[in-house]
Amino acid sequence: MGEVSYSELLRVVPIWLYAQNKTLVAEMPNVIRQAQEELMLRLDHDLFQTIITGKTVSPATPLIDLTTEDPKVMEVRALRLDYNRVGNFTPLERRDLEYLTMLYADARPARPRFWAEYGNINTLKVFPAPQQAYPLEITVNVQPE
């Protein structure tokens, strides 16, 4: 048998095994799902590093939502703001959400210096809350195609 695509493998393996083991055929979707999850854990995520541009953070939208990015964001590596809007991005420091919420009140906007994950790994918040809109540059590792 020559080279087989992943989709073709998903189609033919249950057919091959059906006559030999009906229990395995029923369990095959779980086996494939677990194999995909294990593969994602073992991949070197740094090979899939990319920079997301075109997003902004502002007083009206202090949260940065990466949950709908395609390809899916697996890990946020760095967050940078362009304070002067001239393409000179300055990195923000990552800190713990509880620490930052105690230190900075949303009602007192200023120039952001920190960021934290907010609720899940693909939703971020900057601290202190920004007093104006700033362009963002976000370095992330994405799920391979």
Side-chain angles (χ1 to χ4, degrees):
M1 181 172 177
E3 239 181 71
V4 177
S5 71
Y6 181 74
S7 297
E8 181 67 8
L9 188 64
L10 289 177
R11 188 186 72 74
V12 297
V13 167
I15 295 169
W16 294 338
L17 298 174
Y18 184 69
Q20 298 170 11
N21 188 342
K22 291 183 182 182
T23 304
L24 181 60
V25 172
E27 192 60 28
M28 199 58 160
N30 288 333
V31 170
I32 291 169
R33 181 185 48 76
Q34 290 171 355
Q36 287 172 324
E37 289 172 2
E38 187 66 25
L39 179 64
M40 292 310 299
L41 291 174
R42 294 185 183 275
L43 283 174
D44 181 359
H45 296 174
D46 291 337
L47 296 176
F48 304 101
Q49 187 172 356
T50 190
I51 295 175
I52 297 173
T53 59
K55 293 194 177 288
T56 60
V57 64
S58 70
T61 57
L63 295 179
I64 303 149
D65 184 6
L66 302 175
T67 59
T68 58
E69 291 296 314
D70 187 32
K72 180 182 174 187
V73 172
M74 298 178 65
E75 177 185 19
V76 177
R77 302 293 299 263
L79 182 66
R80 292 174 294 283
L81 289 183
D82 186 0
Y83 293 119
N84 300 320
R85 292 174 206 78
V86 294
N88 188 14
F89 289 88
T90 303
L92 301 182
E93 293 183 51
R94 184 178 185 167
R95 292 287 188 264
D96 182 68
L97 179 64
E98 287 77 17
Y99 168 77
L100 292 173
T101 53
M102 287 188 302
L103 193 59
Y104 296 104
D106 284 340
R108 298 195 52 140
R111 189 174 181 170
R113 294 182 39 223
F114 305 100
W115 68 276
E117 292 175 349
Y118 190 82
N120 72 47
I121 61 170
N122 289 332
T123 304
L124 315 173
K125 187 172 181 179
V126 297
F127 293 88
Q131 77 275 27
Q132 61 186 15
Y134 294 107
L136 290 169
E137 188 176 79
I138 309 163
T139 302
V140 298
N141 292 342
V142 296
Q143 184 171 329
E145 297 290 327

